[in-house]
Every structure is written in C-alpha cells, then in structure tokens.
Amino acid sequence: GPHIGAALKAARESRGLTLEEVSETTRVRPSYLTALEDMRLADLPSRPFVIGYLRAYAQALDLDPVVGSHSLT
C-alpha cells in the first residue's frame, strides 16, 4: 500500500538524502524513485522491476529489504 512509499520517503528525508543521492547508490533513476515514494506503480516498469527497485531503495536506506516484496498486491 501507500505506506511503503511514504516510509521510504520519510527514511530518506530523515537521513538527509536527496533523490539524486539515492539514485546514484541504487542505479534507479530519480523519476522511478519518486514514483515509488508516491506508489504510482503505473509509472514504473513491470512488477519484477518494481520489487527490485524497492529492495534496492530499502537497502540504500538500511531498511529491511523484504519491505517491498509482499506489499505490492
């Protein structure tokens, strides 16, 4: 649900990271990171990519990498 994206954004902001910095770490383009934060899944590639992006984002923020795998029903 939307709380995953909000949690990622809150974690990123609490660490003082910009979307560009996270993009460099994750190799996920900033527009996709923004779409993840807003949970605009229609703006993202196919589901396997989305799960991979969520895992990469969570790892970049030192969050639980399984955060994204079971919330995207």
Side-chain angles (χ1 to χ4, degrees):
H3 57 284
I4 294 287
L8 289 170
K9 183 173 185 176
R12 174 178 63 78
E13 290 177 341
S14 75
R15 288 162 174 75
L17 294 170
T18 66
L19 283 169
E20 288 73 23
E21 288 169 324
V22 176
S23 177
E24 285 178 24
T25 303
T26 59
R27 302 283 178 234
V28 178
R29 61 180 85 167
S31 62
Y32 286 170
L33 295 174
T34 303
L36 285 174
E37 288 184 351
D38 297 339
M39 290 313 280
R40 286 183 283 108
L41 302 184
D43 294 350
L44 293 160
S46 63
R47 182 186 167 91
F49 279 101
V50 173
I51 292 171
Y53 291 162
L54 280 170
R55 286 198 178 127
Y57 198 164
Q59 287 174 331
L61 297 176
D62 294 320
L63 300 175
D64 184 352
V66 298
V67 69
S69 58
H70 42 126
S71 58
L72 288 178
T73 50

